[in-house]
Every structure is written in structure tokens, then in C-alpha cells.
Amino acid sequence: MFSATPHQSFGATPLVVGVDEAGRGPLAGPVVAAAVALCKPRPAGLDDSKRLCAGSRARIDEAIRRRCAWGVGVVEVVEIDRLNIFGATMLAMTLAVARLAEALARDPDEVLVDGNLTPHGRRAEWRWPARAIVGGDGKEPAISAASIVAKEWRDRMMVAAAREHPHYGWERNKGYGTRDHVEALRLHGPTPLHRRSFAPVAQMDLFAAPA
């Protein structure tokens, strides 16, 4: 878990936080969630992280983390396999908001979560009013900011992991099940960073030696 306190105070104004995740679908690596309370003026160019080119996304991520309040929750592969990916995502979101609340020394008045479900009632630690917004990463600026921070954070983790496990092309595919990744799984078997609860990895695990 990581967080930062912004240079500006949020005072007594209602604190609205956007939350999004990155890494539900990959075969390897953690799931990462970010929570962001936007500063004023908010960083320019906010949008769904998937719509942004890599350069723009990196620039906006740096601006968000430098100027706004944010928290990141990282749930590693062991917990993904134990909880399942949905449960791990709910945990990552909870950790991200908790870290942001800790950094600001106040709870958010409302948490806007990308998707159709929130951790409310699904994680005992979740204590904040929450609203799910389908497609929120392209509609709500705070969720857009969270989507950018989460993706950039996870991408950096996967690029670093690729240096330890160079066969799988994680610096390019970020752990997703691309053709080259699946072929490397077939040849080299799963690493400790592969999600063994995911069917493609479980199938390879039956007959491939560990890398």
C-alpha cells in the first residue's frame, strides 16, 4: 500500500474519491487499485487510461501523484489465488481508499467506483459511502485519474518483474495472455508470479516444469 498527501488542503469541502483497478485479466502479476481525490485545478487531459497513449498517460500520472491525493492498493498473486480475482480486486480497492483516508486524516464523503459493484458489503473493512458507475473511467474525472494511476503503477511493476523473468515478455504484454506469453508458459512453465487459479496457467502447470 502506498499514498501521498497533496500540497493543498481539502478543508471542509465534501471529499469525493474515484477508484479504479488494473490487472483483473492478466495471467501473471498483481491486481492494483488506485484511489484519487482530485486537486484544483485538476490535471489536464484526464480520460480512461485505455484511451491514452503511453506518453500522455505517464505525464498525467506524474501530475496526479505530484499534485493530488492518492492511495494505491496492491494485492499479490498468492492472495489472488486464495480469494479469486473478484475478491482480490475488492481488497485492492479497500486498501487504496484506506491509504488515501490515512494520508488525508479524514474519510471520503463519497467513493465513486468504476464498474457495477463496489466493495460495500463485500469487504468488512469497507466503511465509506460508495457508488458504482459503469464506464466511470471515461465519465468521472476522479475515476479517470484513478484508472491512470493504477495502470501506470502496475505497468511499472510488470516491467520490473520482466527483468527477473525475461522469457515471458511482460515488459510488452504486462502479464496478459498474449500468444508469446502463452508460448513461453508452454516452454518454461509458470513462475511464482503466475496466477495458478487461472485456467491457462493451471493447464500449463500440469505438464511444464517451473521456470
Side-chain angles (χ1 to χ4, degrees), residues 166-168 180-191 194 196 204 207-211:
H167 302 303
Y168 303 90
D180 62 329
H181 188 180
V182 173
E183 178 63 13
L185 261 176
R186 187 184 69 80
L187 292 173
H188 302 287
T191 71
H194 279 99
R196 282 170 163 78
M204 298 296 178
F207 59 85

Side-chain angles (χ1 to χ4, degrees), residues 47-65:
D47 200 350
D48 176 358
S49 63
K50 297 184 291 296
R51 297 177 186 166
L52 297 169
C53 69
S56 294
R57 193 170 56 238
R59 174 182 54 79
I60 299 168
D61 168 62
E62 190 278 332
I64 294 166
R65 291 189 293 110

